[in-house]
């Protein structure tokens, strides 16, 4: 089958990125997991090689490549480990808010450093009291002269500790009716007075990924840091969530492919009752079922990526891919662990880490239940 969006150039790029990761990421990944952090130096090395935000315009430090390159980067990072998700979030979730809604001045100020790794970004929507119900956020940003005064708290923020620049969803009109019309996006920079970091959160998985609380207490943000128009924040978030959810689907599909490959290798090498475990019919059927699920998932996903690159509105199909592929990946992780026997429960086998890491994919970027509510609505139910 002709690949719907990858060319020879993408494959050459993939090979050099993989080589880079074999030198700069794979050997250190376990150490990063133990230290619960990816060093900034890794971000800077990614930047030096052109792996940060390569799709943005050359005048802001990018290479103006198509989004197929972003797919390759996200797949290769996921192959190393799901804990590198913060890099994809920077490249393909946060920075696109600046490229799409930023003023010329904002773009010139921030984007070049986003491509070098000098600026690490984050997006802060979720609060302790509200996640799925985004229009109900309580963080306020009230204009006072030349500044917005921001008060509130955010939680579960990816890149929360390391970030230098955070796109924060807040209410510039807390009394707006309907509520979502009061939401705006503000860019809050490191060292802004009144901004502090809360706890670095301990998670079930994604150990090297930095997830944290952010606190804003009478935080004074220059009004030039408003992104786009006041009151349009919710709309902007909805526009960009298609790509965010597609990225989660890509990561889940890649994780499933990695887990299956490792499990096939394992069952062929492990013997029981005088023959390889792969020769038992149960093993074969389980592997066949997973391989079929993965193959079908890949076909749907590739088509969807191609449509997204063409600029089509594929919100319904992206929501389908997000819930289905993350749900599959969770089941595949459990089956693959089972086929590893006791070794699957040991940390020295990668399946143990994958099993811990994958469940969050059905929670973040909008839970799978929220995906189903979107699909149901778009089906006219
Ligand atoms: C590791 C990690 C990283 C994250 N990174 C970020 C980040 O960078 N930035 C950010 O802003 N957020 C981030 N999040 C937050 C994440 O997006 C939210 O946790 C998620 O959207 C769910 O919100 P919640 O936790 O408040 O759950 P709730 O909204 O309280 O949901 C609880 C349960 O109720 C269900 N539910 C809620 N509403 C409905 C409904 N209408 N119909 C049916 N079921 C419903 C949910 O599906 C879920 O099962 C991250 C979370 C994690 C765990």
């Amino acid at each position: 089958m002709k690949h719907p969006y990858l060319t020879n150039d993408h494959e050459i790029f993939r090979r050099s990125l993989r080589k880079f990761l074999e030198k700069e990421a794979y050997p250190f990944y376990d150490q990063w997991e133990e230290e619960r952090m990816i060093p900034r130096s890794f971000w800077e090395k990614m930047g030096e090689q052109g792996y940060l935000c390569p799709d943005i315009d050359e005048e802001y430090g990018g290479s103006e490549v198509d989004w197929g390159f972003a797919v390759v980067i996200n797949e290769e990072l996921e192959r190393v480990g799901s804990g590198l998700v913060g890099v994809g979030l920077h490249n393909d979730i946060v920075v696109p808010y600046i490229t799409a809604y930023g003023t010329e001045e904002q773009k010139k100020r921030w984007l070049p450093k986003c491509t070098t790794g000098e600026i690490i970004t984050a997006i802060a929507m979720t609060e302790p009291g509200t996640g799925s119900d985004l229009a109900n956020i309580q963080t306020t940003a009230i204009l006072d002269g030349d500044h917005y005064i921001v008060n509130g708290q955010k939680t579960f923020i990816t890149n929360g500790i390391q970030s230098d620049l955070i796109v924060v969803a807040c209410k510039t009109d807390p009394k707006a009716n309907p509520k979502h019309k009061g939401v705006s996006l503000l860019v809050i920079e490191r060292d802004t007075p009144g901004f502090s970091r809360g706890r670095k959160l301990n998670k079930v998985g994604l150990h090297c990924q930095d997830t944290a609380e952010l606190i804003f207490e009478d935080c004074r943000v220059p009004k030039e840091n408003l992104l786009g128009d006041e009151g349009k924040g919710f709309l902007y978030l909805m526009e960009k969530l298609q790509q965010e959810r597609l990225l989660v689907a890509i990561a889940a599909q890649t994780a499933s492919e990695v887990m299956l490959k490792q499990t096939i290798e394992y069952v062929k090498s492990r013997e029981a009752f005088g023959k390889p475990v792969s020769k038992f019919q149960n093993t074969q059927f389980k592997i066949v079922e997973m391989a079929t699920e993965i193959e079908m998932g890949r076909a749907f996903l590739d088509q969807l990526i191609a449509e997204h690159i063409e600029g089509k509105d594929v919100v319904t199909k992206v929501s389908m891919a997000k819930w289905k592929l993350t749900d599959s990946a969770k089941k595949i992780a459990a089956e693959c662990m089972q086929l590893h026997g006791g070794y699957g429960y040991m940390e020295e086998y990668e399946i143990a880490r994958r099993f811990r890491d994958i469940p969050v994919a059905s929670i973040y970027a909008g839970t799978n239940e929220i995906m189903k509510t979107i699909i149901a609505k778009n089906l006219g139910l």
Side-chain angles (χ1 to χ4, degrees):
M1 192 182 85
K2 193 173 174 298
H3 208 283
Y5 59 92
L6 294 183
T7 64
N8 200 32
D9 287 349
H10 295 100
E11 290 310 330
I12 293 168
F13 179 81
R14 187 191 294 281
R15 280 200 294 277
S16 51
L17 170 58
R18 196 174 289 180
K19 224 163 152 190
F20 165 83
L21 293 171
E22 276 164 2
K23 183 161 171 264
E24 302 294 350
Y26 284 96
F28 308 108
Y29 194 80
D30 286 345
Q31 184 192 333
W32 297 346
E33 286 273 285
E34 267 171 43
E35 292 169 359
R36 299 292 199 263
M37 195 62 91
I38 297 158
R40 280 192 88 98
S41 56
F42 175 69
W43 287 82
E44 283 154 11
K45 284 176 192 163
M46 288 279 291
E48 272 164 33
Q49 298 301 316
Y51 299 135
L52 296 180
C53 317
D55 55 329
I56 68 176
D57 289 352
E58 273 180 23
E59 62 171 313
Y60 308 122
S63 319
E64 296 186 29
V65 295
D66 66 67
W67 205 67
F69 289 87
V71 177
V72 171
I73 294 175
N74 283 285
E75 286 179 347
E76 292 305 313
L77 291 174
E78 177 62 40
R79 287 167 63 86
V80 181
S82 309
L84 295 180
V85 64
V87 179
L89 175 120
H90 167 82
N91 279 2
D92 298 305
I93 297 175
V94 192
V95 169
Y97 282 97
I98 301 170
T99 54
Y101 309 116
T103 61
E104 196 49 36
E105 194 277 326
Q106 288 173 332
K107 289 184 198 175
K108 284 203 177 113
R109 198 158 120 222
W110 294 319
L111 290 179
K113 288 186 179 170
C114 291
T115 67
T116 59
E118 284 163 271
I119 287 185
I120 296 176
T121 61
I123 178 144
M125 298 175 269
T126 310
E127 300 181 351
T130 189
S132 306
D133 185 8
L134 198 54
N136 203 31
I137 53 168
Q138 302 297 315
T139 299
T140 54
I142 306 301
L143 200 56
D144 174 28
D146 290 342
H147 288 80
Y148 285 99
I149 311 299
V150 181
N151 280 290
Q153 200 179 329
K154 298 286 177 182
T155 194
F156 304 150
I157 306 308
T158 302
N159 298 339
I161 297 291
Q162 282 183 320
S163 51
D164 306 287
L165 187 154
I166 303 146
V167 174
V168 182
C170 33
K171 286 267 174 80
T172 41
D173 180 3
K175 294 202 176 84
N177 185 14
K179 288 186 207 164
H180 69 266
K181 292 208 165 152
V183 178
S184 302
L185 301 183
L186 277 186
V187 177
I188 301 189
E189 294 167 90
R190 174 184 284 286
D191 300 329
T192 304
F195 165 41
S196 60
R197 326 259 167 174
R199 284 176 304 155
K200 181 164 168 291
L201 299 164
N202 274 327
K203 305 187 293 300
V204 171
L206 302 185
H207 284 163
C208 63
Q209 186 230 348
D210 148 27
T211 312
E213 298 171 328
L214 308 177
I215 298 158
F216 306 102
E217 288 168 310
D218 289 330
C219 172
R220 292 181 67 80
V221 182
K223 72 174 187 199
E224 301 81 64
N225 283 24
L226 177 72
L227 210 50
D229 295 332
E230 253 196 29
K232 289 208 181 143
F234 196 82
L235 186 80
Y236 299 152
L237 291 167
M238 293 304 115
E239 277 172 5
K240 292 288 167 205
L241 279 170
Q242 170 168 305
Q243 182 154 303
E244 175 165 355
R245 288 164 183 167
L246 186 55
L247 282 174
V248 177
I250 292 168
Q253 175 69 23
T254 307
S256 293
E257 290 167 358
V258 169
M259 290 187 287
L260 181 68
K261 184 168 178 285
Q262 289 171 350
T263 304
I264 290 175
E265 281 163 16
Y266 184 80
V267 294
K268 282 163 106 176
S269 65
R270 175 77 177 169
E271 293 206 352
F273 298 94
K275 57 183 177 182
V277 170
S278 61
K279 294 295 173 198
F280 297 117
Q281 195 187 46
N282 176 66
T283 308
Q284 293 176 353
F285 282 10
K286 292 286 180 203
I287 298 274
V288 167
E289 285 162 16
M290 290 190 281
T292 308
E293 182 96 1
I294 287 172
E295 199 63 37
M296 293 174 78
R298 176 49 77 180
F300 182 61
L301 181 65
D302 276 348
Q303 186 56 38
L304 198 49
I305 294 169
E307 289 178 35
H308 176 72
I309 291 174
E310 283 168 26
K312 291 189 182 160
D313 176 348
V314 280
V315 166
T316 308
K317 285 201 246 174
V318 165
S319 307
M320 288 173 174
K322 200 273 181 184
W323 88 256
K324 178 63 184 161
L325 296 179
T326 60
D327 206 57
S328 268
K330 275 202 292 190
K331 289 180 187 142
I332 287 169
E335 291 288 9
C336 288
M337 180 184 266
Q338 184 70 15
L339 289 174
H340 276 74
Y343 288 104
Y345 202 64
M346 299 298 131
E347 287 291 338
E348 66 242 47
Y349 279 83
E350 193 177 308
I351 189 62
R353 155 160 72 79
R354 296 266 170 198
F355 179 84
R356 276 194 272 109
D357 286 350
I358 208 69
V360 75
S362 60
I363 296 171
Y364 60 21
T367 66
N368 283 8
E369 292 74 26
I370 293 298
M371 293 308 102
K372 290 176 191 173
T373 65
I374 295 169
I375 300 162
K377 187 168 161 238
N378 293 352
L379 289 175
L381 301 174

